[in-house]
Amino acid sequence: MTTVLITGGSEGIGYELARCYARGGANLVLSARSKDKLTHACRKLEKEFKVHADGVCMDLSVPGSAEQLYQKTKKYEIDVLINNAGFGSAGKAEEIDLQRDEAMIQLNDASMVTLCKLFARDMLAKHAGTIINIGSTGAFQPGPYIAGYYASKAFAVSYSRALACELKHSGIRVLCPCPGPVDTAFYAKSNGIKPKGAVSAADTAAWIYAHRSSNHPVIVQGVINHLAMIVPSGIRMHIVERMKLKYMENR
């Protein structure tokens, strides 16, 4: 039976991905910061799908936490690793709290890399496994007034592509799905405003799950987002700039 580890698995895209895999019969290991949310999510999944769901409370924005999570979960012999946990901060780069930006980089990038490396070693021994690093369409152009988050997702895309190339003959699949705006708590937590037309977390998770066996390491959700890639990145950057400035003025 497949066992899936999902970071940020207590809510949003992570929780909806857990539901997708549980519906398919997989056992789950979820990680999140809030013990109460994690416990509630695990019990709800077990009741709904009759699968086993364990929670590991961990704040992956803290240095060294990814190694701790690996040590606590390697006993499950993880078949699918989903690096979903992440956050961003909207605002002027020089005004965003320094510790918050450092924590974001630790969570979105450093912990992702650590978990990829550690679990990839185990998967190589089995010649099988899947690593899914959740990206964003924000990765494909700079993001004024949300600069750190967009840059962190650009890192995730680049790292995932390189890792997929290295592991292409190993039996391990590496995927970086890039959704556009998703209707989650991300915007409230990032001090931003949710854009109109944001896709539901359930629909985004279903799309990722449907493409989990894709041979393309980087995939983009939605026709509109695909068409937007035709526009030069510099133009897209200025569109982001105007949108973020408008949101900041209306806060």
Side-chain angles (χ1 to χ4, degrees):
M1 182 176 286
T2 301
T3 302
V4 184
L5 169 61
I6 305 175
T7 68
S10 65
E11 61 183 358
I13 296 172
Y15 177 73
E16 294 298 338
L17 275 169
R19 293 188 76 250
C20 289
Y21 277 94
R23 189 178 294 112
N27 286 325
L28 304 167
V29 183
L30 306 183
S31 172
R33 291 187 304 169
S34 170
K35 185 176 181 180
D36 289 343
K37 286 184 179 180
L38 197 54
T39 300
H40 177 72
C42 288
R43 299 296 80 79
K44 190 174 179 181
L45 288 161
E46 287 184 328
K47 182 178 180 180
E48 183 176 4
F49 298 104
K50 311 304 179 187
V51 297
H52 191 72
D54 277 352
V56 179
C57 191
M58 190 69 63
D59 183 354
L60 290 172
S61 68
V62 176
S65 57
E67 293 98 323
Q68 293 178 38
L69 179 60
Y70 170 74
Q71 292 299 330
K72 289 177 179 290
T73 58
K74 65 179 181 178
K75 64 183 179 183
Y76 294 99
E77 298 184 2
I78 301 299
D79 301 294
V80 180
L81 165 67
I82 303 180
N83 283 305
N84 166 74
F87 73 88
S89 297
K92 295 180 180 180
E94 75 277 10
E95 294 180 358
I96 295 172
D97 180 76
L98 176 60
Q99 284 70 37
R100 182 172 173 83
D101 259 354
E102 289 179 341
M104 179 197 68
I105 294 168
Q106 179 67 43
L107 174 60
N108 295 10
D109 295 328
S111 288
M112 176 196 73
V113 169
T114 297
L115 292 173
C116 283
K117 290 169 71 72
L118 294 175
F119 282 104
R121 293 171 184 170
D122 294 343
M123 291 175 183
L124 281 168
K126 300 186 295 183
H127 305 288
T130 299
I131 295 172
I132 300 176
N133 298 321
I134 305 300
S136 166
T137 53
F140 303 114
Q141 68 283 312
Y145 303 105
I146 190 165
Y149 177 74
Y150 274 39
S152 75
K153 290 304 181 180
F155 179 93
V157 167
S158 179
Y159 185 80
S160 299
R161 289 183 64 192
L163 191 61
C165 183
E166 290 186 28
L167 298 175
K168 60 187 174 183
H169 300 304
S170 68
I172 302 172
R173 189 183 308 277
V174 180
L175 183 67
C176 186
C178 295
V182 181
D183 186 1
T184 66
F186 172 86
Y187 296 98
K189 293 178 179 179
S190 68
N191 199 31
I193 298 175
K194 182 178 64 181
K196 294 180 180 179
V199 180
S200 73
D203 285 347
T204 298
W207 167 73
I208 295 169
Y209 186 75
H211 290 83
R212 67 193 184 281
S213 297
S214 173
N215 290 321
H216 300 286
V218 178
I219 56 174
V220 175
Q221 184 182 18
V223 175
I224 293 175
N225 290 323
H226 275 280
L227 291 174
M229 296 300 137
I230 300 172
V231 179
S233 64
I235 294 175
R236 282 186 272 122
M237 177 181 71
H238 289 302
I239 292 172
V240 172
E241 177 190 20
R242 289 198 296 270
M243 290 173 60
K244 297 301 179 185
L245 279 173
K246 182 179 178 181
Y247 295 159
M248 290 167 64
E249 290 169 357
N250 293 333
R251 279 209 298 256

